[in-house]
Amino acid sequence: MDIHNKLRRRDFIGKTGTVLAGSMIASPVTSMMSKAATLAKKKKLALVGTGIRGSSFWGKRIVDQYGDIIEFVGLCDINPGRLEFVKGYMGVKCPVFTDFDEMIKKTKPDMVIVTTVDATHHEFIVKGLKAGVEVLTEKPLTTDESKLKQILDAEKEAGKKVIVGFNYRYTDHTTRIKELLSQERVGKITSVDFHWYLNVFHGASYFRRWHGLRDKGGTLLVHKATHHFDILNWWLDSDPVEVYAYGELEHYGRNNAFRGEKCRTCPHKDKCKFFWDITRDTMAVNLYVNNEHHDGYIRDNCLWRNEIDIYDKMNVQIRYANDVTVSYSLTTYSPYEGWRIAFNGFTGRIDSWQDIPWRKEERLNQAELHAEEMSQEEVQKSVNYDEIMVMDNFGEYELIKVDRTAGGHGGGDKKLHDKIFLNPDMPDPLKHSAGTRDGAFSILIGIAARKSIEEHRIVRIEELTDLKPMPKRL
Ligand SMILES: NC(=O)c1ccc[n+]([C@@H]2O[C@H](COP(=O)([O-])OP(=O)(O)OC[C@H]3O[C@@H](n4cnc5c(N)ncnc54)[C@H](O)[C@@H]3O)[C@@H](O)[C@H]2O)c1
């Protein structure tokens, strides 16, 4: 970190004990004055759920990037072996706990970060709020409407706002689309086509783990599509009112002729195209394989297990309070990973896409794409720009190239972290920050879609909670 950056960070801390907005340039005098305050008042973080996301994105990356303004005071997980490994991996000296209540009581954190299995998020969000602690949770906010109600009630009672870590909003690509829509570049938007493709590596990974069980991840309509529904809600600046959906499990799970217990010991290794040798992934071995005797969490589980009860093909129709209608689909066994969107407006159309390999004649390594996407390294990516096509009715088209910032999720991960830890009061003109209302409306589309699939009917969002959908988001 350069000296200016250091001074700036210390100045923020000196003013608030955490971080304050204001001049980005600190005077050396205030910086020196605040140095002592910084050392005395690092923000105290506790984290629950030391899996891959908790240990890396909300763990090691935070320690590495913000170690001068935060400190971890506690780590919690149900798996004691994983806890010990992650403590070393993050390079922290704090105590570890298998009991969340004990961690909160003993460590008295300023903020708790929730990165457990989706269906358990509500438990720690509610407990954190009741303890008077600031809460930051990974997506999805939760997995059903009754847990959502518990969170909303606890937030109201505590008078504190929960932060939901929606990183997709923060990429340069999604931000540029938001700007064009805010400027009404193609007039009033009336409908949207939005299609997301998970490839045979990333898509398949969900069926190996707890995500394959509806009661753990709420199905991919909640676990994964919460990201997509959130950027849609944010882009359209309106709340969803009605949902109709189809969903099937046609490829993974019970659909294959053979199955094994787990990839490592599988007798069908040679003929299964989805065979994954977890022993070649050191991090996965350290996190999961070495600790599976504690909790039975088998990370390389068979994706043809009969118990899988989520959909692998999903189509959703959404109607918004501002009358925009959306056609959305999610595919989980595509040859390539990427997405495509089109906004139809009264005066033109905006098309955009990401990682469609033949579009720029790219030869992307599909197996490595997800790893690259999730990488916390500031590496130059194989693709360095994204495209947005704007075309006016009766007019010409304009191709906009958006430079892709290096780092996870097109630089979005860094921007999200900076906003939360470095400069929370930074002006937010495009409303990138997300709270429980955003978290709620994004999962409510998925929850309504699940209900629609089961009951073969249009589901109104208002059936699910007391939240009132607004034509323009609050
Ligand atoms: N925003 C993103 O791009 C993104 C990416 C990956 C994961 N995530 C989210 O992060 C969370 C964690 O995902 P992951 O991939 O790290 O999963 P993971 O399975 O690797 O980790 C989950 C951890 O939670 C622990 N756990 C489960 N129940 C617990 C409980 N009751 N108390 C304490 N610990 C418990 C498990 O032992 C495990 O260590 C999920 O909610 C997921 O949706 C978000």
Side-chain angles (χ1 to χ4, degrees):
M1 188 195 314
D2 67 37
I3 186 74
H4 282 102
N5 221 349
K6 237 178 202 161
L7 292 173
R8 190 190 69 193
R9 293 159 74 102
R10 300 221 186 278
D11 192 41
F12 285 137
I13 294 295
K15 285 177 185 165
T16 64
T18 53
V19 173
L20 232 201
S23 166
M24 294 296 279
I25 312 223
S27 84
V29 177
T30 52
S31 296
M32 281 170 65
M33 280 166 54
S34 62
K35 192 169 179 181
T38 305
L39 294 173
K41 289 195 168 183
K42 284 185 174 184
K43 188 165 189 155
K44 293 192 286 174
L45 306 181
L47 182 138
V48 58
T50 56
I52 185 65
R53 189 70 175 169
S55 61
S56 54
F57 186 69
W58 295 108
K60 188 166 176 4
R61 186 176 194 281
I62 303 293
V63 173
D64 291 350
Q65 300 296 319
Y66 308 96
D68 56 343
I69 54 175
I70 61 92
E71 70 174 314
F72 276 89
V73 293
L75 300 176
C76 174
D77 200 284
I78 44 176
N79 189 313
R82 188 145 51 242
L83 267 175
E84 277 311 321
F85 166 71
V86 169
K87 181 177 172 178
Y89 171 71
M90 285 172 56
V92 291
K93 296 199 169 62
C94 64
V96 296
F97 301 85
T98 49
D99 181 328
F100 181 78
D101 297 334
E102 192 190 344
M103 174 172 79
I104 296 295
K105 210 164 134 202
K106 289 203 170 140
T107 67
K108 298 193 173 27
D110 298 313
M111 175 186 268
V112 62
I113 302 176
V114 180
T115 51
T116 53
V117 168
D118 301 351
T120 65
H121 287 179
H122 69 295
E123 188 186 329
F124 306 111
I125 297 171
V126 170
K127 282 181 174 174
L129 285 167
K130 288 202 165 142
V133 177
E134 196 180 353
V135 179
L136 187 163
T137 182
E138 252 302 347
K139 53 55 57 176
L141 180 56
T142 183
T143 49
D144 70 36
E145 61 272 40
S146 71
K147 290 172 180 174
L148 174 60
K149 183 167 172 7
Q150 291 176 44
I151 294 171
L152 296 176
D153 288 350
E155 190 184 50
K156 207 182 279 173
E157 211 168 292
K160 276 185 184 270
K161 294 277 175 221
V162 175
I163 301 168
V164 184
F166 279 127
N167 42 347
Y168 285 28
R169 291 181 177 203
Y170 284 81
T171 73
D172 294 333
H173 186 188
T174 50
T175 299
R176 187 73 187 99
I177 293 173
K178 174 74 179 169
E179 281 168 1
L180 291 166
L181 293 169
S182 305
Q183 295 155 4
E184 298 198 350
R185 175 63 185 78
V186 291
K188 178 184 157 36
I189 300 300
T190 56
S191 67
V192 179
D193 320 323
F194 190 17
H195 304 289
W196 202 284
Y197 320 111
L198 296 170
N199 70 15
V200 279
F201 301 95
H202 185 197
S205 78
Y206 294 116
F207 295 83
R208 300 182 197 282
R209 305 185 266 165
W210 50 264
H211 310 65
L213 301 179
R214 180 193 164 120
D215 70 350
K216 298 267 198 257
T219 79
L220 295 178
L221 285 165
V222 171
H223 171 82
K224 187 66 193 169
T226 182
H227 274 307
H228 314 152
F229 297 145
D230 177 64
I231 43 175
L232 257 180
N233 298 347
W234 176 63
W235 274 329
L236 296 173
D237 203 19
S238 185
D239 294 326
V241 288
E242 280 180 1
V243 172
Y244 186 79
Y246 291 106
E248 307 285 347
L249 177 65
E250 295 175 332
H251 180 273
Y252 298 108
R254 58 180 178 265
N255 293 291
N256 204 39
F258 58 81
R259 55 194 44 77
E261 196 202 327
K262 55 184 177 240
C263 281
R264 262 168 293 162
T265 56
C266 186
H268 310 291
K269 270 179 199 177
D270 295 339
K271 65 175 173 192
C272 184
K273 285 206 159 65
F274 289 84
F275 169 68
W276 175 48
D277 186 357
I278 192 171
T279 63
R280 296 175 64 179
D281 181 335
T282 311
M283 183 67 175
V285 169
N286 286 328
L287 272 178
Y288 308 106
V289 176
N290 291 347
N291 298 303
E292 64 193 21
H293 59 284
H294 289 291
D295 60 3
Y297 181 172
I298 308 296
R299 180 62 184 77
D300 60 340
N301 237 326
C302 180
L303 43 71
W304 311 120
R305 310 194 299 292
N306 282 316
E307 64 172 352
I308 290 171
D309 60 356
I310 63 166
Y311 316 108
D312 57 20
K313 172 183 91 173
M314 291 142 276
N315 296 72
V316 185
Q317 302 291 316
I318 313 158
R319 181 176 193 87
Y320 279 79
N322 66 357
D323 292 330
V324 173
T325 48
V326 175
S327 267
Y328 165 87
S329 72
L330 179 59
T331 308
T332 56
Y333 39 88
S334 170
Y336 59 82
E337 177 101 359
W339 53 267
R340 228 190 293 233
I341 196 157
F343 297 89
N344 299 298
F346 272 144
T347 63
R349 175 174 159 112
I350 299 173
D351 281 277
S352 195
W353 50 87
Q354 194 165 304
D355 292 340
I356 308 296
W358 37 262
R359 173 62 214 160
K360 288 181 254 170
E361 294 191 26
E362 290 151 0
R363 288 283 176 270
L364 301 174
N365 180 330
Q366 291 295 324
E368 286 174 9
L369 199 61
H370 181 53
E372 191 181 274
E373 179 70 5
M374 299 302 289
S375 168
Q376 307 309 324
E377 305 291 318
E378 304 296 313
V379 290
Q380 189 56 43
K381 299 194 47 144
S382 46
V383 181
N384 53 16
Y385 63 90
D386 289 300
E387 295 171 312
I388 304 172
M389 181 74 80
V390 184
M391 186 155 183
D392 298 307
N393 290 351
F394 313 106
E396 291 299 318
Y397 65 75
E398 175 196 357
L399 179 63
I400 299 171
K401 289 189 177 177
V402 185
D403 284 343
R404 211 185 256 195
T405 313
H409 293 110
D413 290 349
K414 177 183 185 309
K415 288 192 192 119
L416 170 69
H417 279 171
D418 280 356
K419 174 82 174 99
I420 293 170
F421 297 108
L422 191 56
N423 193 0
D425 296 327
M426 185 164 69
D428 188 15
L430 292 173
K431 298 190 196 150
H432 281 89
S433 303
T436 49
R437 198 170 190 284
D438 308 86
F441 275 107
S442 73
I443 56 165
L444 284 170
I445 299 176
I447 293 168
R450 269 184 348 216
K451 217 178 181 51
S452 172
I453 293 165
E454 281 156 14
E455 299 175 12
H456 301 288
R457 66 177 179 94
I458 292 173
V459 174
R460 290 189 60 76
I461 295 292
E462 277 183 293
E463 291 175 32
L464 304 171
T465 65
D466 295 337
L467 288 173
K468 193 165 169 37
M470 304 299 286
K472 190 165 173 59
R473 287 182 332 137
L474 295 177

